[in-house]
């Protein structure tokens, strides 16, 4: 017997396409706090929706649903479906429920039409079963009162962040005195295995191609960002802490052995939840990761697994901004200035044109630190950052300095793309290399503008 979804797709031309809905639009995600209004329910009858009054502002939709509902990301068999997957903001304990106005299984007209065109009665997708299959076995309920009681207990002290606190920060543009805390955990950390099971569901919704990390693999680590807030008077007892936490975002890290006795870290996944996006949390999380990696003596360097353009730009801005600050600090501390003999022999004076001697020496000093691994940047990122530093201090009036910089970058670009470029005619290769250089320089300038 054909499934409801298969039938729905095969007879769309017979007007059953009205029963196909976008899964991305149907799924409603929310981070819930005890201060949110209760859901006021209206008894559901065919033809009447399950009306919900929701005064919270932490409701959002998924970016991807194909891991659950297939490549077309559709639900079959409902009119106006709403699938609610609500999370307790800190512990991620969840509520799963669904409402709709009509279901095809109960629609006589649709059933009669199906019999006329194929003799197979359409059947709606079992949406809740599909979502339920992805949730932690003991991490959800279908009763909203039970869910809200869990939310209240979380805020009364039952939930505290998982792992070891490594950093905290606040956002300058926020009027309230909110504090955000970063915690580090791995699969030997108490409570992390259960917490990670909930995190993995969120990854499916927001990171394309995401796959669950193996909880038996001890090489995995995670860094978790939580909003720490004081419970508002009247919201209930706050226990001994007086604070409650909400998940802001997280990153997963994989650890590789590096000869002879070091570790090489790879940032695998980074997710800032939609209610917190666009506020600077991504930069703060990346900077917290970098600070902790630098402090860890066993870490040789760290990289990023297949970063998209947005994350690579964020990474560049953070790294270059830190290095420009380091140049400024070094310049002030070089009194008297470093002599050339104090710099590593491999470091040549930077092609930076007519700047004062102290700045020149400070820049060379920071570049030497980058090359020596003090900032633990991966090889490719070290090169990019050094080139951006050199471009920032380049004397644009000096033709010789500009030529030296251009040739240096082109040499690297040719080596990186040698296999492709070597197959071209000389004139074509020259033009392509110039185009690649121009794109790289423009990209660098765009990053430098964002460091101001």
């Amino acid at each position: 017997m054909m499934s409801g979804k298969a039938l729905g797709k095969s007879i769309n031309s017979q007007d059953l396409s009205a029963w196909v809905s976008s899964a991305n639009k149907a799924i409603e995600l929310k981070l819930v706090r005890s201060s949110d209004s209760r859901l006021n329910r209206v008894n559901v009858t065919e033809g009447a929706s399950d009306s919900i009054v929701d005064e919270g502002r932490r409701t959002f939709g998924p970016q991807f649903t194909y891991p659950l509902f297939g490549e077309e990301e559709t639900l079959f068999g409902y009119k106006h479906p709403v699938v609610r997957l609500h999370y307790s903001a800190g512990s991620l304990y969840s509520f799963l429920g669904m409402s709709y106005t009509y279901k095809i299984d109960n629609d006589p007209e649709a059933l009669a039409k199906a019999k006329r065109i194929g003799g197979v009665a359409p059947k709606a997708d079992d949406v809740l079963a599909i979502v339920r299959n992805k949730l932690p076995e003991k991490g959800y309920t279908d009763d909203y009162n039970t869910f809200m009681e869990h939310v209240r207990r979380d805020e009364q002290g039952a939930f505290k962040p998982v792992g070891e606190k490594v950093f905290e920060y606040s956002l300058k543009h926020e009027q309230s005195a909110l504090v955000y805390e970063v915690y580090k955990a791995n699969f030997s950390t108490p409570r992390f295995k259960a917490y990670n099971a909930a995190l993995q569901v969120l990854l499916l919704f927001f990171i394309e191609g995401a796959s669950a990390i193996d909880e038996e693999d001890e090489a995995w680590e995670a860094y978790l960002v939580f909003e720490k807030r004081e419970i508002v008077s009247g919201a209930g007892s706050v226990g001994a802490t007086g604070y409650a936490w909400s998940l802001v975002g997280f990153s997963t890290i994989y650890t590789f052995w590096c000869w002879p006795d070091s570790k090489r870290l790879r940032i695998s996944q980074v997710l800032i939840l939609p209610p917190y996006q666009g506020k600077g949390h991504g930069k703060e999380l990346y900077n917290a990761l970098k600070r902790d990696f630098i402090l860890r003596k066993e870490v040789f360097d760290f990289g990023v697994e297949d970063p998209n353009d947005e994350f690579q730009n964020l990474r560049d801005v953070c790294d270059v901004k830190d290095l420009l600050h380091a140049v400024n600090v070094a310049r002030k501390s070089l009194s008297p200035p470093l002599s050339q003999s104090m710099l590593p022999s491999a470091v040549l004076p930077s092609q930076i044109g007519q700047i004062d001697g102290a700045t020149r020496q400070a820049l060379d000093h920071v570049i030497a630190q980058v090359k020596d691994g003090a900032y633990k940047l991966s090889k490719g990122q070290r090169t990019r950052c050094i080139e951006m530093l050199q471009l920032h201090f380049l004397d644009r009036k000096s033709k010789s300095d500009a030529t030296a910089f251009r040739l240096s970058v082109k040499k690297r670009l040719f080596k990186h793309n040698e296999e492709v470029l070597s197959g071209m005619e000389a004139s074509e290769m020259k033009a392509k290399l110039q185009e690649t250089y121009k794109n790289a320089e423009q990209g660098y300038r765009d990053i430098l503008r964002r460091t101001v």
Side-chain angles (χ1 to χ4, degrees):
M1 181 175 179
M2 297 177 68
S3 70
K5 180 167 284 190
L7 177 65
K9 288 179 170 54
S10 66
I11 58 178
N12 278 351
S13 61
Q14 302 294 333
D15 293 331
L16 289 186
S17 59
W19 294 94
V20 179
S21 304
S22 166
N24 290 354
K25 294 180 180 179
I27 293 180
E28 174 189 281
L29 305 172
K30 185 182 177 185
L31 300 175
V32 179
R33 300 173 180 174
S34 62
S35 57
D36 292 338
S37 296
R38 287 178 174 270
L39 299 187
N40 299 317
R41 294 182 175 276
V42 176
N43 291 333
V44 178
T45 59
E46 288 299 328
S49 65
D50 179 10
S51 177
I52 287 189
V53 178
D54 177 10
E55 297 176 0
R57 296 183 178 180
R58 290 168 299 282
T59 304
F60 50 99
Q63 189 170 352
F64 307 105
T65 54
Y66 66 85
L68 285 77
F69 298 103
E71 291 184 3
E72 295 187 12
E73 299 182 316
T74 56
L75 313 179
F76 176 76
Y78 303 91
K79 293 285 185 68
H80 311 112
V82 179
V83 182
R84 297 180 180 86
L85 182 55
H86 292 186
Y87 289 93
S88 180
S91 70
L92 299 185
Y93 184 81
S94 57
F95 163 78
L96 176 62
M98 182 178 180
S99 67
Y100 47 86
T101 55
Y102 293 99
K103 186 176 181 180
I104 198 169
D105 304 43
N106 304 322
D107 188 277
E109 183 179 344
L111 294 173
K113 181 179 293 184
K115 289 180 180 179
R116 290 197 303 271
I117 63 177
V120 180
K123 185 173 179 58
D125 293 335
D126 191 346
V127 174
L128 292 181
I130 293 171
V131 178
R132 194 181 298 121
N133 187 52
K134 296 292 183 180
L135 300 178
E137 184 177 353
K138 297 181 180 180
Y140 72 94
T141 180
D142 59 3
D143 182 84
Y144 209 83
N145 289 329
T146 300
F147 170 69
M148 287 304 299
E149 181 58 34
H150 201 290
V151 172
R152 283 188 286 273
R153 288 200 304 270
D154 284 348
E155 295 196 349
Q156 291 168 4
F159 174 77
K160 291 182 174 60
V162 177
E164 170 196 3
K165 180 180 172 181
V166 295
F167 189 67
E168 70 174 45
Y169 65 90
S170 58
L171 300 177
K172 295 180 180 179
H173 58 269
E174 288 187 337
Q175 295 181 352
S176 59
L178 284 174
V179 174
Y180 300 91
E181 299 180 331
V182 182
Y183 288 77
K184 177 171 63 177
N186 56 43
F187 285 119
S188 65
T189 303
R191 300 184 290 130
F192 179 66
K193 281 188 177 182
Y195 201 75
N196 176 68
L199 296 177
Q200 296 306 304
V201 181
L202 291 170
L203 284 176
L204 295 178
F205 286 135
F206 294 104
I207 296 185
E208 189 169 12
S211 57
I213 63 178
D214 183 4
E215 65 179 37
E216 301 301 322
D217 190 342
E218 297 180 355
W220 283 105
E221 300 177 356
Y223 288 75
L224 311 163
V225 183
F226 291 93
E227 175 192 280
K228 179 182 179 182
R229 68 187 189 283
E230 190 171 356
I231 297 298
V232 178
S233 177
S237 172
V238 295
T241 64
Y243 293 96
W245 288 265
S246 299
L247 181 69
V248 171
F250 60 96
S251 177
T252 57
I253 314 295
Y254 196 78
T255 303
F256 295 90
W257 173 77
C258 181
W259 189 88
D261 57 359
S262 299
K263 292 181 179 180
R264 174 167 278 144
L265 304 184
R266 182 182 65 196
I267 300 174
S268 178
Q269 300 157 325
V270 178
L271 174 62
I272 301 298
L273 297 177
Y276 296 97
Q277 290 177 5
K279 299 181 180 181
H281 292 290
K283 291 181 181 179
E284 292 291 349
L285 175 55
Y286 177 77
N287 284 331
L289 293 175
K290 184 166 63 173
R291 289 187 189 98
D292 196 54
F293 296 161
I294 290 173
L295 292 173
R296 292 169 59 175
K297 294 180 179 180
E298 79 278 12
V299 174
F300 177 75
D301 67 10
F302 72 96
V304 180
E305 179 183 2
D306 299 327
N308 58 26
D309 291 342
E310 183 180 6
F311 189 79
Q312 182 60 50
N313 288 340
L314 179 150
R315 179 188 184 192
D316 286 343
V317 169
C318 291
D319 290 343
V320 173
K321 194 169 186 177
D322 280 352
L323 295 176
L324 289 172
H325 176 70
V327 170
N328 188 47
V329 171
R331 184 185 184 283
K332 293 177 180 178
S333 65
L334 295 180
S335 181
L338 290 171
S339 66
Q340 190 65 36
S341 62
M342 295 174 66
L343 294 172
S345 57
V347 180
L348 300 176
S350 301
Q351 299 290 331
I352 56 178
Q354 300 301 313
I355 63 174
D356 63 89
T359 301
R360 180 188 296 272
Q361 290 189 327
L363 176 60
D364 286 331
H365 177 65
V366 170
I367 289 176
Q369 288 183 316
V370 173
K371 290 183 176 181
D372 289 343
Y375 293 89
K376 301 190 178 180
L377 303 176
S378 61
K379 183 178 180 181
Q381 188 66 3
R382 288 200 303 267
T383 301
R384 287 174 58 83
C385 289
I386 289 173
E387 288 177 350
M388 280 186 267
L389 282 179
Q390 292 173 330
L391 179 61
H392 177 76
F393 288 103
L394 187 66
D395 182 3
R396 300 176 185 178
K397 297 180 181 179
S398 171
K399 184 176 180 180
S400 61
D401 288 349
T403 299
F405 175 77
R406 183 177 67 254
L407 292 178
S408 174
V409 175
K410 280 188 174 182
K411 181 178 179 180
R412 176 186 65 80
L413 292 173
F414 178 83
K415 186 175 181 180
H416 183 71
N417 300 284
E418 186 172 4
E419 185 176 346
V420 175
L421 293 172
S422 296
M424 299 178 179
E425 295 290 337
S427 59
E428 182 185 7
M429 180 183 68
K430 185 177 180 180
K432 187 64 177 177
L433 190 57
Q434 175 66 9
E435 178 187 352
T436 304
Y437 167 77
K438 281 294 186 182
N439 289 337
E441 181 183 336
Q442 185 58 52
Y444 286 174
R445 292 194 186 282
D446 290 343
I447 295 299
L448 289 168
R449 277 193 289 270
R450 292 173 59 186
T451 63
V452 178

